[in-house]
Amino acid sequence: MKKIFATLIVALCTLGIAAAQDLEKATEIYNNAAAAIDNNKAEAITLFEQALEMAGQLGEEGAEIATQCKGIIPKLYMSVAKDLVNEKNLDEAVANFKKAIEAGEKYGDADVAEEARTLIPQVLMADANQALNAKDYEAAAAGYQKVIDADPSNGAAHLRKGQSLAALGKVDDAVKSFELASENGQEEAAAKQLSNIYVKKAVACQKAKDNKGMLENAQKSTQYVDNANAQKLIGLSAKELKQFKVAAEAFEAYLSMNPKAAEKEPQIIYYLGDCLVKNGDTAKACGYFKTIAQDPKLGEAARYQITQLKCN
C-alpha cells in the first residue's frame, strides 16, 4: 500500500495554511490506515473512511487521497468478510459482505459488489449443508432460511430446508418448502419429496383405518410421481370405499410397476379380480383368477370364482 507524500508537498506550496494542515492530516490518516492493513483491517477501514471524509472536503487537492480510499475500502470489507468466514463467524461475515456490496456500489467497484452478492448464499449454504449432513436438522433448517433470506430464488435451499423440516416431523411446513423449491428450478427433486410425503400420509391413514384420507393422499402422491406403493394404497382404499373401477385400475398399475408382486402377493390378484367382477368386466377377471387358481391359500377361492363366472 503506497503512502501519499507528493500531494502534500504540492499543497503546502499552493494552499493556505488551514487547508494545507487539513490535507496534511488527511494524508497522515491515510498513511496510518495503510500501515494498519496487515495487523488490523477493521481499524484500517475506519481510518480510510476518515481520510476519505477529510479529503472529500478539500476538493481537487484531496482528490488523489479520496480516489485511493474509494478503491481500497470495498476490497477491505471483502477481505474482512473472508477472514470471518475462515473463523466460522458467519453472521459477522455476512454483515461485512453486505458492507462490501454497499461500498462497492457507492465507490464504483462493481466487481467487489458482485462477488460479495455471490458469496453470501454460497457461504451460508455450505454451513447449512454441514448441519444437514450432521443431522442437526434444526440448525440446518435455520441455515437454509438464511440462504433464502439472501436469495429467495435459491431452489436448492428451499429443497433442503424442506428435507430438514420433514426430518423434524414438520410435514406441512416441509410441503410449503418443497412447493417453493419446485417453483424455483427444482421441479423433479421436489416432486419426489412431495410424492414420498403423501405416501407416508396415506400409510398413516391406513393405520388409522381412514380409507378416505388414505385414498386422497395416495392419489396426490401419484400426481407428483407415479409409484407402485401409492397405487397399491389407492387400490386397497378404493376397494373398501366400493370405488371398484378406481381400485381395479390402481391394482393393475401396481402389478405393472411391480411385476414380482404377482407371485409374492396373490391377494392383490384376487382383489383385482373381485373389483373387475363388481365393475362388470368378468372376462378380464377370469384371466386374473386363473393365474392364482393353484395358489396354496387363495386357489380354492379363485377356482370358485372361475366356476361361478363360467370362465372358459
Side-chain angles (χ1 to χ4, degrees), residues 131-186:
L132 182 61
N133 291 336
K135 298 184 178 180
D136 186 351
Y137 300 118
E138 288 281 5
Y144 290 124
Q145 184 58 52
K146 289 181 181 179
V147 178
I148 293 163
D149 291 340
D151 179 12
S153 65
N154 192 315
H158 285 294
L159 182 73
R160 292 173 191 172
K161 181 186 175 186
Q163 291 173 319
S164 303
L165 291 169
L168 291 167
K170 299 178 180 179
V171 177
D172 291 340
D173 290 335
V175 167
K176 293 176 183 176
S177 288
F178 290 137
E179 288 173 346
L180 287 168
S182 182
E183 293 170 10
N184 288 280
Q186 295 288 327

Side-chain angles (χ1 to χ4, degrees), residues 12 17 83-84 87 110 125 141 155 173 177 199 215 219 232 264 307:
L12 290 173
I17 294 175
D83 289 345
L84 289 165
E87 295 168 9
M125 192 75 162
D173 290 335
S177 288
V199 163
L215 177 60
Q219 286 176 326
K232 181 178 178 180
K264 295 182 179 180
T307 300

